[in-house]
Amino acid sequence: EHKLLLSAVCAGKGTCGKCRVHFLEGASEPSAEDKRFFKKEELKKGWRLACRAYPQKDCIVWMEQREGDFFVLADAEEKGRDAFGDEKPEEAQKQSRTYGIAADIGTTTIAMQLVELSGRRITEVYTAINRQYAYGADVISRIEASNSGKREEMKNSICADLEKGIRTLAKSCPGEIRRMVICANTVMVHLLMGYSCETLGAYPFTPVNIRTIHTTGKKLFKGVERQVIQELEIIIYPGISAFVGGDITAGLFALEFESREKPSLLIDLGTNAEMAVGNRERLLAASAAAGPAFEGGNLKWGTGSIPGAICSVTLKDNLASFRTIKNQSPIGICGSGAIEALAELAGTGLVDETGHLDDRYAENGFPLSESADGEQITFTQKDIRELQLAKSALRSGIETLCLRFGISTEEISHIYLAGGFGLKLDCRKAIRIGLLPASFEGKITAIGNSSLGGAAKCLLERNAWEKISLIARETKEIPLASDKDFNRFYMEYMYFYY
């Protein structure tokens, strides 16, 4: 009710242990889940999981808010930079100023850019956490929440986030904001538009609408009186399928896949690992349910990309040295740090080919550091299993797409990693654990937020929608869940011997 953002990776099932709060007064009785995640001393002091705590009397609860520290990838952080990386011509500054807003709605984060259309430059950037995160970290959790009666409040949540971003950008805008282009995965579009998610969560996973959506601020943001929002023309990118959305369409458009001669591969690394391979002749896409491990979810000490998160790990003589985001005191480990920890442990033989952690560390985990309050930050056997599932899903998706396209992984000319995780990933260590094929070495480019890039490019290119519609229409999805080769690959790439 107070609009406080609380991490809910498991959607309130009591299984992730992330929603820790401290009852200063009036603590509820410890639940079975509390006893799993807290020591007896912590329980006595009033530490509880918020999702399991049902107060029976007045209470005072302390919680830590870290939303402002969360890393949100918006690329063009330098104001005044041309949207395509070129310097803005001086003569463009003298033209009448009209603006557009490019927006990327991610499952975890929201990124928006104010784009000066005449000058072809980005003048302001806005980033925020998608506050639907309180309903679960992945799209399946969001679908379940929508289907359990929370559809309207989830729509209101994302609309409020977008309204705040528009108002913030409008304050720094000296001209007229004419239109807004939104990119998002299919589930996020359904939640934004208030569509039912009933058919998204059950076979054959049929979306209500994946076509280009044309609307206005007045229709989308009901009850908003600000003229700048009411008169806004809003266009939402078309998707490809239930689980390959407009964010991938936008990435393919930004990278001009529709005009490439040699096959390239786009991978959007996240909770729902989406990927596409192709060239001007054909495009194939797929979605692999990697889970939240790449973003720190379901890891004992996992955290998002916030200051203090361990983001790089090396081992020497079974002792860990590490780097944290912004070099602050360690508070946990983010996705890139977890990948590096696993690669180092596997490389030194402390994790065997099956993913089993050395017996010396199997019970309590491998120590990485200590937190500020003296707790040992560890990398556990369960963490390894979570990453094992995620890396096998991604790798198997890549192999299956290449097989269906009729090429080997060696024949891919360029590999583009999109998203914040891809930007920080040490590709050599990712290859070492089999997350990516060895043939990708030297061909990988981390491109940041390709979805947002596609939204900005759409605002500026005259024939954009013709190309975007072509990409969405011609891209064929390969359903991995029912693909026999994907399932064969999935078992094979669970191991660490390659």
Side-chain angles (χ1 to χ4, degrees):
E1 290 178 357
H2 288 279
K3 311 299 181 187
L4 299 174
L5 183 71
L6 193 62
S7 178
V9 173
C10 68
K13 295 181 177 68
T15 58
C16 71
K18 302 298 182 187
C19 61
R20 301 177 177 219
V21 294
H22 188 190
F23 279 80
L24 303 179
E25 291 182 16
S28 58
E29 285 298 312
S31 66
E33 292 83 1
D34 289 326
K35 292 174 183 177
R36 281 180 52 220
F37 288 101
F38 296 107
K39 299 173 184 176
K40 288 182 179 180
E41 298 77 19
E42 292 176 318
L43 292 172
K44 286 180 182 178
K45 290 179 180 178
W47 283 94
R48 301 287 187 271
L49 297 180
C51 69
R52 301 290 94 186
Y54 295 87
Q56 301 299 312
K57 53 188 175 182
D58 289 349
C59 57
I60 298 174
V61 181
W62 178 88
M63 62 176 287
E64 185 175 7
Q65 287 279 286
R66 301 194 65 90
E67 178 179 355
D69 289 337
F70 207 101
F71 173 74
V72 186
L73 185 61
D75 290 334
E77 304 261 342
E78 293 181 36
K79 300 173 189 176
R81 184 174 65 79
D82 183 280
F84 295 106
D86 300 322
E87 291 298 320
K88 178 198 169 190
E90 287 298 318
E91 58 270 19
Q93 298 183 34
K94 301 173 184 177
Q95 298 177 15
S96 59
R97 295 184 178 183
T98 56
Y99 293 81
I101 293 176
D104 170 52
I105 304 174
T107 310
T108 307
T109 60
I110 296 168
M112 302 168 72
Q113 295 173 345
L114 182 66
V115 182
E116 185 183 338
L117 304 181
S118 55
R120 298 174 60 83
R121 64 173 190 145
I122 295 154
T123 62
E124 191 60 77
V125 172
Y126 174 84
T127 61
I129 300 299
N130 182 341
R131 297 179 75 85
Q132 289 179 347
Y133 196 74
Y135 299 91
D138 54 50
V139 293
I140 301 301
S141 299
R142 308 285 173 86
I143 290 172
E144 290 175 351
S146 174
N147 293 342
S148 64
K150 297 178 179 176
R151 187 202 308 181
E152 192 63 27
E153 64 183 80
M154 294 178 78
K155 173 179 168 60
N156 292 338
S157 173
I158 189 60
C159 283
D161 286 341
L162 291 177
E163 287 172 27
K164 184 178 179 182
I166 295 168
R167 288 197 305 270
T168 302
L169 292 175
K171 287 178 182 176
S172 64
C173 180
E176 178 189 1
I177 301 177
R178 291 188 174 177
R179 59 186 178 273
M180 179 177 186
V181 174
I182 298 175
C183 301
N185 65 51
T186 305
V187 175
M188 292 301 107
V189 171
H190 276 55
L191 296 176
L192 172 65
M193 299 304 296
Y195 296 152
S196 169
C197 291
E198 293 286 345
T199 56
L200 276 183
Y203 184 83
F205 310 109
T206 307
V208 172
N209 180 20
I210 57 172
R211 297 184 298 276
T212 304
I213 297 171
H214 295 268
T215 186
T216 63
K218 186 176 182 179
K219 291 179 182 177
L220 188 61
F221 306 115
K222 293 179 180 177
V224 177
E225 296 179 357
R226 288 179 64 93
Q227 190 174 6
V228 66
I229 295 179
Q230 281 196 339
E231 296 181 356
L232 201 60
E233 175 194 359
I234 298 174
I235 309 172
I236 301 174
Y237 251 85
I240 294 163
S241 70
F243 292 109
V244 182
D247 48 353
I248 293 300
T249 309
L252 292 172
F253 172 63
L255 294 164
E256 300 180 348
F257 266 56
E258 78 285 352
S259 61
R260 289 174 178 264
E261 183 177 346
K262 295 181 179 179
S264 297
L265 177 68
L266 169 65
I267 306 172
D268 192 347
L269 282 168
T271 305
N272 195 42
E274 297 163 299
M275 59 197 82
V277 64
N279 55 12
R280 64 190 180 194
E281 295 179 2
R282 59 195 288 242
L283 288 164
L284 299 182
S287 171
F294 290 149
E295 296 177 345
N298 288 351
L299 307 182
K300 182 177 180 180
W301 281 92
T303 184
S305 300
I306 58 178
I310 294 173
C311 57
S312 179
V313 177
T314 55
L315 291 188
K316 186 176 182 180
D317 299 327
N318 288 5
L319 293 175
S321 57
F322 58 86
R323 224 171 9 91
T324 66
I325 295 175
K326 293 193 175 180
N327 296 316
Q328 293 194 10
S329 299
I331 60 169
I333 183 167
C334 65
S336 61
I339 291 292
E340 293 204 18
L342 179 54
E344 290 290 307
L345 289 168
T348 54
L350 293 175
V351 168
D352 68 17
E353 65 182 28
T354 70
H356 178 71
L357 182 59
D358 188 283
D359 288 340
R360 288 171 289 176
Y361 309 106
E363 185 175 350
N364 298 316
F366 186 87
L368 297 176
S369 180
E370 281 191 356
S371 64
D373 56 8
E375 275 198 271
Q376 199 167 64
I377 297 174
T378 57
F379 189 67
T380 70
Q381 180 66 70
K382 181 179 178 296
D383 297 342
I384 294 169
R385 295 304 182 206
E386 291 285 344
L387 286 166
Q388 218 170 343
L389 294 170
K391 76 105 176 176
S392 184
L394 176 66
R395 176 66 184 274
S396 302
I398 293 169
E399 297 286 343
T400 304
L401 269 189
C402 289
L403 183 65
R404 294 286 166 264
F405 197 81
I407 58 173
S408 66
T409 57
E410 287 84 358
E411 294 176 85
I412 295 177
S413 62
H414 292 89
I415 298 92
Y416 299 97
L417 296 185
F421 177 67
L423 206 60
K424 299 183 184 67
L425 185 67
D426 184 322
C427 293
R428 290 171 300 176
K429 291 185 179 180
I431 289 170
R432 188 187 301 172
I433 66 168
L435 179 68
L436 300 171
S439 58
F440 282 7
E441 189 162 5
K443 301 179 183 179
I444 300 171
T445 304
I447 55 169
N449 193 331
S450 61
S451 175
L452 192 61
K457 185 179 178 184
C458 172
L459 285 168
L460 296 167
E461 191 167 311
R462 182 169 296 176
N463 299 320
W465 287 108
E466 183 180 331
K467 295 178 182 178
I468 292 164
S469 298
L470 176 69
I471 290 169
R473 185 174 63 251
E474 297 298 325
T475 303
K476 180 185 176 184
E477 183 198 18
I478 303 298
L480 297 181
S482 58
D483 191 292
K484 63 179 182 180
D485 289 303
F486 173 79
N487 289 306
R488 173 173 59 84
F489 285 133
Y490 190 78
M491 297 306 297
E492 179 181 348
Y493 289 112
M494 200 75 76
Y495 291 89
F496 291 102
Y497 51 68
Y498 37 83

